[in-house]
Amino acid sequence: QVNRNAAVDAFPANTLVYDVYLATTSGGQNFATPTVTIGGISTSVQISGLTRSTNYFAVVRVRDPDGNLNASTVEVTGSTLPDTTPPVLAQAP
């Protein structure tokens, strides 16, 4: 899950868009393509499809309706959890 603080802009908060960029190495984000985009009123997002037991580095950038994009490179880091649930063998009837 990625959480973010609200940005300040001339546009109302509900019109802003937050682009989240993930990488498995510090500074490895591809800023041409966000991993996920969050609407202005949401302050967090669950990101699926990540690799278990992996460190991720996230950068969040905000866009306004005019297309102005801040150029933040501030990273936060987090790790996905390991899979600790054993498989279950289906029993025949």
Side-chain angles (χ1 to χ4, degrees):
Q1 178 172 328
V2 174
N3 297 307
R4 55 107 184 141
N5 292 325
V8 176
D9 192 75
F11 285 96
N14 66 339
T15 65
L16 302 178
V17 175
Y18 296 82
D19 294 326
V20 179
Y21 303 88
L22 293 183
T24 55
T25 58
S26 180
Q29 295 83 7
N30 175 359
F31 293 116
T33 307
T35 304
V36 67
T37 297
I38 307 170
I41 57 173
S42 299
T43 57
S44 66
V45 64
Q46 295 280 343
I47 302 173
S48 61
L50 303 179
T51 304
R52 290 182 181 100
S53 301
T54 301
N55 291 327
Y56 283 91
F57 299 84
V59 173
V60 178
R61 291 181 169 182
V62 61
R63 280 186 285 129
D64 68 19
D66 283 341
N68 298 310
L69 176 69
N70 85 321
S72 175
T73 56
V74 176
E75 286 183 327
V76 294
T77 187
S79 298
T80 53
L81 299 174
D83 179 3
T84 59
T85 304
V88 176
L89 181 60
Q91 300 296 319

